Amino acid sequence: MRKLLFGITCYLIFLITACGGDKQQKVQSFVETFAGYVNAGQLDSIKVVYPEANFDSIAPLSTDSVKINETDGITRVDFGSGKWIEIQEGDDGNITIVNSKGIAAFPEDKMQLAINTGMLNLEDTDVRTQELLNDTEYFAWLEKNFDHGDYVIQIKPGKYKNIWKPNWGEGSKGSITVTLTNLSDAPISGSDYFITYKTNESNGYTDDSRRNYTKNNKRKGIDLNPKESGTINLSEWETYKFYNFEIKPAEGKEQVLKYQFKPTGKEYQEYLDSKK
């Protein structure tokens, strides 16, 4: 009897080991095939074995140091460098991918913006990341609501003044004080930029001779220390209105004055709240 039980036990161990070996080999073969699809850029083939895949592009895979572990019927294949897939075998015996991380490739600048504004975190899977990055409405909202201007200098015009000068007959002189603030962490030279603006003006001393017209104006900037403000006074003969103030960089200074958005990490939540 003992020999019989020993024989049955050995036979069961043999079956389990053999089946385990077959499954391991099947998984290994699947992994090699999938990596081939990825490295060849065959998105259509990838979507056959990974139905949830919605990626625009993919990252190369290496199978040199693959680790395979199984938990609760889900097999996880770790490729190293933070790249992994989770696979599952269906009743029909076919293997499909149900989750992944690091397989998809995303634009680095857009990815970083999404992380810095609280939209993404480093633990998000590939499918979740692609879904979020496809939300064009959010990025449009972000650009609209957090666009502080094209350049690092903020302009705040003051109140317009129309000063009467008796010795100029019917003429008058318009003036306005403009406050400039350096929003960056670096000093800005007045030679790096200039201010453009428009004025509505008229000439002549009588109603018969007066002509109204629009004038384009340009004024050189002033030196600004980091995070500090300065003011300039603008004036034009017989000016009745100032408008369209803009900062224009001097030639070769475009990148120096380009505004850099600095997120707080709460922007995405503000976006979600705005949709409620």
Side-chain angles (χ1 to χ4, degrees), residues 138-211:
Y138 169 64
F139 291 100
W141 176 90
L142 191 65
E143 183 177 355
K144 177 181 178 181
N145 288 275
F146 292 91
D147 181 11
H148 298 285
D150 290 334
Y151 302 100
V152 292
I153 302 175
Q154 183 183 66
I155 306 176
K156 287 188 177 180
K159 292 183 178 180
Y160 163 74
K161 294 180 181 179
N162 196 349
I163 304 170
W164 179 252
K165 296 289 185 179
N167 59 321
W168 290 354
E170 291 185 333
S172 62
K173 194 174 184 67
S175 67
I176 191 169
T177 299
V178 178
T179 300
L180 304 174
T181 303
N182 181 358
L183 301 177
S184 73
D185 298 320
I188 297 176
S189 170
S191 62
D192 289 346
Y193 69 100
F194 52 87
I195 304 162
T196 64
Y197 59 100
K198 293 182 183 293
T199 52
N200 284 339
E201 304 185 18
S202 69
N203 58 11
Y205 294 101
T206 65
D207 291 340
D208 293 334
S209 62
R210 184 176 291 117
R211 179 178 63 86

Side-chain angles (χ1 to χ4, degrees), residues 3 37 63-64 77 84 126 135 195 207 213 217 222 238:
K3 290 183 178 180
Y37 293 157
T63 58
D64 292 341
V77 181
W84 54 262
D126 290 334
D135 188 354
I195 304 162
D207 291 340
Y213 62 97
N217 302 275
I222 58 174
E238 289 201 324

Side-chain angles (χ1 to χ4, degrees), residues 27-75:
V27 170
Q28 187 69 38
S29 177
F30 174 84
V31 170
E32 295 287 347
T33 301
F34 175 71
Y37 293 157
V38 170
N39 294 331
Q42 297 174 352
L43 285 172
D44 291 339
S45 299
I46 290 172
K47 291 180 180 179
V48 172
V49 296
Y50 193 177
E52 296 298 318
N54 57 350
F55 316 136
D56 296 330
S57 58
I58 49 181
L61 276 181
S62 172
T63 58
D64 292 341
S65 56
V66 172
K67 295 181 180 179
I68 301 174
N69 295 289
E70 184 174 353
T71 304
D72 297 330
I74 299 292
T75 300

Side-chain angles (χ1 to χ4, degrees), residues 30-31 34 38 50 55 59-62 65-69 74-87 97-104 122-129:
F30 174 84
V31 170
F34 175 71
V38 170
Y50 193 177
F55 316 136
L61 276 181
S62 172
S65 56
V66 172
K67 295 181 180 179
I68 301 174
N69 295 289
I74 299 292
T75 300
R76 177 157 170 164
V77 181
D78 194 330
F79 296 92
S81 302
K83 297 181 180 182
W84 54 262
I85 59 174
E86 288 179 342
I87 61 178
I97 300 175
V98 295
N99 211 349
S100 70
K101 177 69 176 176
I103 306 301
L122 296 177
E123 303 303 317
D124 284 325
T125 62
D126 290 334
V127 171
R128 175 61 177 162
T129 298

